[in-house]
Amino acid sequence: MIKENRHIEFKSSFNEDVIETLVAFANTKGGKVLVGVNNKGEPVKNFTIGQESIQNWVNEIKTKTQPSIIPDAEINDYKGQEIVEFYVQEYPIKPVSCRGKYFKRVKNSNHLLSVTEVVNLHLQTINSSWDAYPDTIHTLDDISLEKVQASIEIMKSNGLTINETPISFLLKYDLLREGKLTNAAYLLFKKADSFVTTIELGRFQNDAITIKDTARTKADILTQIEQVLDFVRKHINKRVIITGEARNTQKWQYPMEAIREIVINMIIHRDYRSASDSIVKIFDNKIEFYNPGQLPEKITVDDLLSNNYKSTPRNKLIADFCKDLRLIEKYGSGIGRIVEYFKEEGMPVPEFRNISDGFQVTVFGPDMDSASGNVPENVIDYVSDNLTDYVPENVTDNVTDNVTDNVTNNVTDNVPENVTDNVTNNVTNNVTDNVTNNVTDNVPENVTDNVTDNVTDNVPENVTDNVTDNVTDNVTDNVTDNVTDNVPENVTDNVPENVTDNVTDNVPENVTDSRENKILEILRVNSHISLSQLAKQLSVAKMTIIRDMEKLKIKGLVEREGPDKGGYWKVIQK
């Protein structure tokens, strides 16, 4: 029995609904309308076909459609009665309209297209996208040529030969057409923040109502990639795995390669014509990434997961440009890599789904069920959000890497002899009470026992001595800022007054921007190192290194000697 579906429609008589259905078929995959059949699939009694009926109906279809469509029409026998069958193929130039209205076929009904859908349908037909069209609002003065040059340098470091000036470079990539910016050029290199690219960022309690931290970025889309990743890193957990080597291994709560892939896809494939913003919500054990713009109609979530689809980038010009920046490898491979990264870590596969007018990816972290009291055995391995709030991010690295004789000598010379005894006694008395009170309230019952047992067994006897020896250049500044806020009030009261003064007076002035200092140290050892190698060694993006190098140049701390290839970095002593 024939039923209505994506390619078949029943109509009791010829009217404008027939024409709208033919238009919907022409804008999708084609189909046929059976005139003289009711919606139950039964022939209509007393339906008659006049001598001129078919020719008149075809002419009406032709005059009421734009571009004009002329369907195939023939009389067929249907359950012992004559009906008219109109058939139309998918039209090559879309969209087709009926009296100024545009339709497409969705399952067994006609769907009226929105303005955005009409534009998308047309752009897909001519193999183009919205971002390749001229920006009618902004001019060259609204973009930063310095940002363009930074992209040129990245592409050079990737092995591409580029000799063009920034303007010629924009022309080469079709980002500038007939003297006008394209929408892609503005989004990639805009000078000022604007609402067009707004991304809302939030750290929530698991009730999804209580907000612990929030941020917003309106920058150019290349800058936003690192801004979003920085916010995520700030609010997820990190394990410090003690291996016995000089440097400990650090492991994030989520595979950061996958998170980076999700963020890049979210920004590159966003529908920037939508009034909605992109949103990132971070919870204790999951992160939601929401983006305006659903999957293309012909691609389902199952297609994504099975890699059974042909990639159709929403912003083709931006995607192509980012491919040369090596932010993406090739069209259509990102979802597969994301899934594999999570599988390799033994973690749940992320959830992908169309939601509202957009697309959402949800990633799930490892199961840490605090309600059951099941805290991992190596408590010290897990750095919680609270610890992130109170301890500067670079403390772990600096304590390990940046030990200096200067602080050791200064602290030894200037701290009164009885400080060690006072600190030992006061910290033992005060911290024990505070830890007992605070941990008892907030940590499952068995943690206290585990911490006591594990710390007693695993901390070397000489830790107290090592603390004095292993103070880093920037610890004093961090302690001054952070301990005042977060250490119990009575600890401050019990430390001799001159300790703060002595420590503050003897900390070197240059204890800032540890990453820049690390860059200078690396350059002193290897002046021929590439930007890519620097980025990899410091675990940051190439764009971050480029910006750091620019800052160092401005400060007069480094110079580039010789060409990009074959040259070297010169560190200027100050």
Side-chain angles (χ1 to χ4, degrees), residues 199-201 225 228-229 231-233 236 254-256 258-267 277-283 286-292 338 342 350-353 355 358-364:
I199 301 177
E200 297 287 353
L201 308 165
I225 293 172
V228 174
L229 287 171
F231 187 84
V232 172
R233 280 189 287 259
I236 64 175
Y254 303 90
M256 288 308 297
I259 299 300
R260 183 176 184 82
E261 192 79 37
I262 292 170
V263 170
I264 289 172
N265 276 278
M266 180 182 77
I267 291 173
D277 297 330
S278 292
I279 302 172
V280 178
K281 293 182 178 180
I282 303 175
F283 300 89
K286 71 176 181 178
I287 308 176
E288 296 175 354
F289 300 88
Y290 169 78
N291 213 32
I338 291 168
F342 276 85
E351 176 185 83
F352 305 89
R353 63 177 178 141
I355 179 172
F359 187 71
Q360 181 170 292
V361 179
T362 304
V363 298
F364 302 94

Side-chain angles (χ1 to χ4, degrees), residues 27 34 82 138 164 224 255 257 273 375 379 382 413 533:
N27 286 329
L34 306 183
E82 286 188 341
H138 303 99
E164 290 85 3
Q224 283 185 322
E257 298 91 342
R273 293 163 297 174
V375 177
V379 175
Y382 288 86
D413 295 341
Q533 292 169 329

Side-chain angles (χ1 to χ4, degrees), residues 375 377 379-380 435 439 443 446-459:
V375 177
E377 294 180 5
V379 175
I380 196 171
V435 170
V439 171
V443 180
N446 63 342
V447 171
T448 305
D449 295 337
N450 290 334
V451 171
T452 303
D453 296 339
N454 291 332
V455 172
T456 303
D457 295 339
N458 297 308
V459 177

Side-chain angles (χ1 to χ4, degrees), residues 231-248:
F231 187 84
V232 172
R233 280 189 287 259
K234 177 183 177 183
H235 289 294
I236 64 175
N237 298 335
K238 182 195 292 185
R239 285 193 302 171
V240 180
I241 303 173
I242 301 174
T243 63
E245 302 295 331
R247 293 180 63 88
N248 296 327

Side-chain angles (χ1 to χ4, degrees), residues 514-525 534 552 557-558 570-572:
S514 62
R515 188 172 64 235
E516 292 182 10
N517 290 335
K518 287 182 180 180
I519 291 174
L520 293 174
E521 292 173 6
I522 293 171
L523 295 181
R524 289 189 182 101
V525 175
L534 265 175
L552 291 172
L557 297 177
V558 298
K570 179 180 179 182
V571 178
I572 301 171

Side-chain angles (χ1 to χ4, degrees), residues 233-329:
R233 280 189 287 259
K234 177 183 177 183
H235 289 294
I236 64 175
N237 298 335
K238 182 195 292 185
R239 285 193 302 171
V240 180
I241 303 173
I242 301 174
T243 63
E245 302 295 331
R247 293 180 63 88
N248 296 327
T249 300
Q250 298 180 352
K251 192 169 186 178
W252 292 100
Q253 181 181 359
Y254 303 90
M256 288 308 297
E257 298 91 342
I259 299 300
R260 183 176 184 82
E261 192 79 37
I262 292 170
V263 170
I264 289 172
N265 276 278
M266 180 182 77
I267 291 173
I268 291 177
H269 300 305
R270 172 177 172 175
D271 186 352
Y272 287 97
R273 293 163 297 174
S274 172
S276 301
D277 297 330
S278 292
I279 302 172
V280 178
K281 293 182 178 180
I282 303 175
F283 300 89
D284 289 347
N285 284 321
K286 71 176 181 178
I287 308 176
E288 296 175 354
F289 300 88
Y290 169 78
N291 213 32
Q294 292 194 343
L295 288 174
E297 180 186 350
K298 300 177 183 178
I299 300 177
T300 67
V301 171
D302 288 339
D303 292 333
L304 285 182
L305 296 176
S306 63
N307 200 29
N308 182 30
Y309 68 98
K310 180 180 179 182
S311 179
T312 54
R314 175 174 285 110
N315 303 306
K316 295 184 67 173
L317 199 57
I318 292 174
D320 183 65
F321 184 80
C322 289
K323 186 172 181 293
D324 279 356
L325 282 176
R326 292 191 181 172
L327 290 174
I328 56 177
E329 291 188 9

